[in-house]
Structures are given as C-alpha cells and as structure tokens.
C-alpha cells in the first residue's frame, strides 16, 4: 500500500546496517538474559512445565526487547504507536513459535540440557525476529540523506 511504500527507505551504508544489527544483538542479549533468567526460575523454583515457562519467559524478554529497540536500536522509531506495537507483537508470535519449536526439538529429540536448548532456540529466533521486525516494524530507521540544496542563480 501507499503508506507502507512511503515508510520504506534504504539504509545509507553497510556500516549503518552493521551498527544497527550490533545494537539489535546487544538489546536482544538483554531480552534473552531476562528470558533465560525467568525460564530458569520458573523451571527450577516453580516447577512450571517447560512449554509454559518458555512461553512466559519469551514474552517477558520480548517486552523488554521492544522498549530497548525503540530507545537504542532503530533511530526513527520514536515512541511506541499502535500499528508498530501490533506488528511487533504479531511478529513476536512468529518468534515465539520458532522458539517453542526449537526448544521442544532440542529437548525432546536431541536431549539437550535446558539452557543449551534455549541457546539454540535463541539463535534461530534472533535472526528471524531481526529480519521480520526490520522489514515490517522499523522500516524508517535510517533515512536517505537529504538532497543538496542548490543556490539559486543570482
């Protein structure tokens, strides 16, 4: 649609893309730390089934990640708005599905320890979420440089 087309702007350099990905990685690490900590507490202290514990902890980490993305990663994201928040949550659901599938497969099929399985799930989820959110939520993070202003002929 016209609104989506107008929101899309190319990043101005490979260096800016790298900086954004690096910032997103650091923000994701904070979200993952919150996620894994809550997962560990729910599983060890609360004896919550890993499916429920993984879902709750993932949502908790995603909320932290969203607000950190707004503040530190995507320059023009500004304040949260209804459309971006809705898209972020929907795309978080895709990440949640990837997280749950990877966590379950690693535990049930590979018999991986909980935090090793979490690391595998987090890696897959990181790249999928970055790509989806960059493409659909934070489209205007970098703006093309303004066109040069020419002096009128005297």
């Amino acid at each position: 649609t016209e609104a989506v087309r107008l929101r899309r702007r190319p990043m101005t350099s490979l260096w800016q893309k790298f900086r954004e990905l690096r910032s997103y990685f650091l923000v994701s690490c904070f979200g993952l730390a919150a996620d894994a900590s809550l997962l560990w507490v729910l599983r060890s202290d609360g004896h919550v089934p890993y499916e429920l514990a993984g879902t709750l902890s993932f949502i908790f980490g995603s909320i932290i990640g969203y607000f950190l993305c707004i503040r530190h990663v995507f320059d023009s994201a500004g304040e949260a708005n209804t459309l971006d928040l809705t898209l972020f949550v929907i795309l978080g659901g895709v990440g949640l599905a990837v997280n749950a599938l990877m966590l379950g497969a690693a535990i049930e099929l590979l018999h991986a320890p909980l935090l090793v399985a979490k690391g595998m799930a987090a890696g897959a989820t990181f790249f999928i979420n970055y790509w989806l959110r960059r493409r659909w939520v934070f489209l205007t993070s970098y703006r093309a440089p303004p066109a040069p202003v020419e002096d009128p002929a005297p």
Side-chain angles (χ1 to χ4, degrees), residues 25-138:
F25 175 76
L26 293 173
V27 161
S28 294
C29 286
F30 279 100
L32 176 60
D35 178 345
S37 297
L38 184 58
L39 176 65
W40 185 257
V41 168
L42 292 174
R43 284 292 292 152
S44 62
D45 295 341
H47 308 291
V48 177
Y50 75 84
E51 297 92 341
L52 178 59
T55 300
L56 294 174
S57 67
F58 184 84
I59 291 168
F60 178 68
S62 294
I63 291 169
I64 289 172
Y66 175 72
F67 288 105
L68 290 173
C69 279
I70 293 288
R71 179 141 174 102
H72 299 290
V73 179
F74 300 105
D75 294 336
S76 66
E79 295 180 21
N81 65 60
T82 304
L83 176 60
D84 286 350
L85 181 57
T86 301
L87 288 171
F88 195 92
V89 169
I90 290 169
L91 297 175
V94 172
L96 179 59
V98 169
N99 182 70
L101 289 172
M102 291 292 294
L103 194 61
I107 290 171
E108 299 294 333
L109 301 176
L110 302 177
H111 306 289
L114 179 66
L115 293 182
V116 171
K118 183 61 190 175
M120 294 167 64
T125 302
F126 169 78
F127 286 107
I128 289 169
N129 275 346
Y130 173 76
W131 182 79
L132 289 172
R133 289 173 174 160
R134 180 72 183 93
R135 178 154 176 85
W136 296 105
V137 179
F138 302 111

Side-chain angles (χ1 to χ4, degrees), residues 9-25 73-75 126 130 134 141-142:
R9 301 223 171 99
M11 289 187 166
T12 57
S13 75
L14 185 59
W15 177 245
Q16 287 175 316
K17 289 179 186 180
F18 174 76
R19 285 181 41 215
E20 181 181 85
L21 186 60
R22 182 191 64 199
S23 297
Y24 186 80
F25 175 76
V73 179
F74 300 105
D75 294 336
F126 169 78
Y130 173 76
R134 180 72 183 93
S141 179
Y142 290 105

